[in-house]
Short mmCIF file of all heavy atoms in Angstrom, two decimals:
data_model
loop_
_atom_site.label_atom_id
_atom_site.label_comp_id
_atom_site.label_asym_id
_atom_site.label_seq_id
_atom_site.Cartn_x
_atom_site.Cartn_y
_atom_site.Cartn_z
N LEU A 254 165.22 101.54 -57.64
CA LEU A 254 164.64 102.71 -58.28
C LEU A 254 163.27 102.42 -58.79
O LEU A 254 163.05 101.52 -59.56
CB LEU A 254 165.56 103.23 -59.48
CG LEU A 254 165.03 104.32 -60.27
CD1 LEU A 254 165.03 105.65 -59.40
CD2 LEU A 254 165.88 104.58 -61.49
N ASN A 255 162.25 103.06 -58.21
CA ASN A 255 160.81 102.91 -58.70
C ASN A 255 160.71 103.57 -60.00
O ASN A 255 160.78 104.81 -60.13
CB ASN A 255 159.87 103.45 -57.61
CG ASN A 255 158.49 103.37 -58.10
OD1 ASN A 255 158.07 102.47 -58.93
ND2 ASN A 255 157.57 104.14 -57.55
N ASN A 256 160.62 102.75 -61.05
CA ASN A 256 160.48 103.26 -62.44
C ASN A 256 159.13 103.30 -62.97
O ASN A 256 158.88 103.29 -64.19
CB ASN A 256 161.47 102.36 -63.32
CG ASN A 256 161.78 103.07 -64.66
OD1 ASN A 256 162.13 104.23 -64.56
ND2 ASN A 256 161.81 102.39 -65.67
N GLN A 257 158.16 103.51 -62.13
CA GLN A 257 156.74 103.53 -62.52
C GLN A 257 156.16 104.95 -62.10
O GLN A 257 156.35 105.38 -60.93
CB GLN A 257 155.92 102.41 -61.92
CG GLN A 257 156.35 101.07 -62.42
CD GLN A 257 155.50 99.94 -61.90
OE1 GLN A 257 154.58 100.20 -61.04
NE2 GLN A 257 155.61 98.74 -62.40
N LEU A 258 155.44 105.55 -62.98
CA LEU A 258 154.85 106.82 -62.73
C LEU A 258 153.34 106.84 -63.03
O LEU A 258 152.96 106.46 -64.21
CB LEU A 258 155.44 108.00 -63.46
CG LEU A 258 156.88 108.49 -62.90
CD1 LEU A 258 157.27 109.64 -63.81
CD2 LEU A 258 156.73 108.97 -61.53
N ARG A 259 152.48 107.06 -62.16
CA ARG A 259 151.08 107.15 -62.48
C ARG A 259 150.69 108.43 -63.25
O ARG A 259 149.90 108.42 -64.19
CB ARG A 259 150.18 107.16 -61.10
CG ARG A 259 150.30 105.88 -60.36
CD ARG A 259 149.57 105.99 -59.04
NE ARG A 259 150.19 107.06 -58.33
CZ ARG A 259 149.59 107.55 -57.07
NH1 ARG A 259 148.48 106.97 -56.64
NH2 ARG A 259 150.19 108.48 -56.48
N GLN A 261 151.79 111.52 -65.68
CA GLN A 261 152.71 111.88 -66.65
C GLN A 261 152.69 113.43 -66.76
O GLN A 261 152.36 113.94 -67.87
CB GLN A 261 152.50 111.18 -67.99
CG GLN A 261 152.55 109.68 -67.88
CD GLN A 261 154.01 109.22 -67.56
OE1 GLN A 261 154.92 109.79 -68.01
NE2 GLN A 261 154.09 108.04 -66.93
N TYR A 269 160.98 112.77 -60.98
CA TYR A 269 161.54 111.57 -61.41
C TYR A 269 162.96 111.67 -61.82
O TYR A 269 163.84 110.99 -61.52
CB TYR A 269 160.72 110.97 -62.52
CG TYR A 269 161.28 109.67 -63.26
CD1 TYR A 269 161.21 108.45 -62.73
CD2 TYR A 269 162.02 109.83 -64.47
CE1 TYR A 269 161.74 107.30 -63.35
CE2 TYR A 269 162.59 108.79 -65.08
CZ TYR A 269 162.42 107.53 -64.59
OH TYR A 269 163.00 106.40 -65.15
N LEU A 295 162.35 98.97 -60.40
CA LEU A 295 161.07 98.28 -60.19
C LEU A 295 160.12 98.82 -61.21
O LEU A 295 159.55 99.84 -61.13
CB LEU A 295 160.57 98.79 -58.77
CG LEU A 295 161.61 98.45 -57.63
CD1 LEU A 295 161.11 99.05 -56.36
CD2 LEU A 295 161.97 97.01 -57.49
N ASP A 296 159.85 97.86 -62.21
CA ASP A 296 158.91 98.12 -63.20
C ASP A 296 158.59 96.74 -63.86
O ASP A 296 158.95 95.68 -63.32
CB ASP A 296 159.40 98.95 -64.29
CG ASP A 296 160.80 98.68 -64.84
OD1 ASP A 296 161.07 97.47 -64.82
OD2 ASP A 296 161.57 99.56 -65.23
N ALA A 297 157.82 96.77 -64.99
CA ALA A 297 157.44 95.49 -65.57
C ALA A 297 158.60 94.61 -65.95
O ALA A 297 158.64 93.37 -65.90
CB ALA A 297 156.46 95.63 -66.70
N PRO A 323 160.38 106.36 -67.62
CA PRO A 323 159.34 105.93 -66.64
C PRO A 323 158.25 105.16 -67.35
O PRO A 323 157.90 105.48 -68.55
CB PRO A 323 158.82 107.24 -66.05
CG PRO A 323 159.28 108.24 -67.10
CD PRO A 323 160.46 107.83 -67.70
N GLN A 324 157.72 104.22 -66.73
CA GLN A 324 156.73 103.33 -67.33
C GLN A 324 155.31 103.52 -66.61
O GLN A 324 155.37 104.07 -65.44
CB GLN A 324 157.10 101.86 -67.24
CG GLN A 324 158.36 101.51 -67.93
CD GLN A 324 158.71 100.08 -67.91
OE1 GLN A 324 157.94 99.25 -67.43
NE2 GLN A 324 159.89 99.64 -68.46
N GLN A 325 154.32 103.13 -67.33
CA GLN A 325 152.98 103.20 -66.64
C GLN A 325 152.98 102.12 -65.60
O GLN A 325 153.46 101.01 -65.71
CB GLN A 325 151.88 102.88 -67.71
CG GLN A 325 151.69 103.99 -68.69
CD GLN A 325 151.16 105.20 -68.09
OE1 GLN A 325 150.31 105.14 -67.11
NE2 GLN A 325 151.31 106.38 -68.69
N PRO A 326 152.32 102.44 -64.43
CA PRO A 326 152.29 101.56 -63.31
C PRO A 326 151.41 100.31 -63.55
O PRO A 326 150.37 100.50 -64.21
CB PRO A 326 151.76 102.38 -62.13
CG PRO A 326 150.96 103.38 -62.79
CD PRO A 326 151.57 103.73 -64.10
N SER A 327 151.87 99.23 -63.01
CA SER A 327 151.03 98.06 -62.99
C SER A 327 150.28 97.92 -61.67
O SER A 327 150.29 98.82 -60.88
CB SER A 327 151.87 96.72 -63.16
OG SER A 327 152.94 96.69 -62.21
N ASP A 328 149.50 96.86 -61.38
CA ASP A 328 148.74 96.78 -60.23
C ASP A 328 149.61 96.71 -58.96
O ASP A 328 149.31 97.25 -57.90
CB ASP A 328 147.90 95.52 -60.19
CG ASP A 328 146.83 95.52 -61.30
OD1 ASP A 328 146.49 96.65 -61.79
OD2 ASP A 328 146.39 94.43 -61.84
N SER A 329 150.78 96.23 -59.07
CA SER A 329 151.68 96.14 -57.91
C SER A 329 153.19 96.15 -58.47
O SER A 329 153.40 95.71 -59.68
CB SER A 329 151.42 94.88 -57.08
OG SER A 329 151.68 93.72 -57.83
N LEU A 330 154.10 96.42 -57.65
CA LEU A 330 155.47 96.41 -58.06
C LEU A 330 155.95 94.91 -58.13
O LEU A 330 155.42 94.00 -57.30
CB LEU A 330 156.32 97.12 -56.93
CG LEU A 330 156.16 98.64 -56.95
CD1 LEU A 330 156.98 99.32 -55.92
CD2 LEU A 330 156.53 99.29 -58.32
N PRO A 331 156.88 94.50 -58.94
CA PRO A 331 157.36 93.18 -58.96
C PRO A 331 157.99 92.78 -57.63
O PRO A 331 158.59 93.62 -56.93
CB PRO A 331 158.40 93.20 -60.10
CG PRO A 331 158.74 94.63 -60.26
CD PRO A 331 157.57 95.42 -59.82
N SER A 350 162.17 106.82 -54.98
CA SER A 350 160.87 106.83 -55.65
C SER A 350 160.42 108.33 -55.82
O SER A 350 160.69 109.18 -55.01
CB SER A 350 159.78 106.06 -54.96
OG SER A 350 158.59 106.09 -55.57
N ALA A 351 159.79 108.59 -56.96
CA ALA A 351 159.28 109.90 -57.20
C ALA A 351 157.83 109.99 -56.79
O ALA A 351 157.23 111.09 -56.96
CB ALA A 351 159.32 110.24 -58.72
N GLU A 352 157.20 108.99 -56.27
CA GLU A 352 155.80 108.97 -55.78
C GLU A 352 155.73 107.89 -54.75
O GLU A 352 156.43 106.93 -54.67
CB GLU A 352 154.78 108.83 -56.89
CG GLU A 352 154.93 107.47 -57.64
CD GLU A 352 153.96 107.34 -58.79
OE1 GLU A 352 153.31 108.44 -59.11
OE2 GLU A 352 153.83 106.22 -59.30
N ALA A 356 151.67 100.44 -53.15
CA ALA A 356 152.62 99.35 -53.51
C ALA A 356 154.00 99.68 -53.13
O ALA A 356 154.77 98.75 -52.62
CB ALA A 356 152.55 99.16 -55.13
#
Side-chain angles (χ1 to χ4, degrees):
L254 180 64
N255 179 22
N256 200 39
Q257 297 184 351
L258 284 183
R259 293 174 301 173
Q261 299 293 329
Y269 171 82
L295 303 180
D296 50 31
Q324 298 183 7
Q325 290 290 335
S327 54
D328 296 335
S329 61
L330 292 175
S350 180
E352 57 184 14

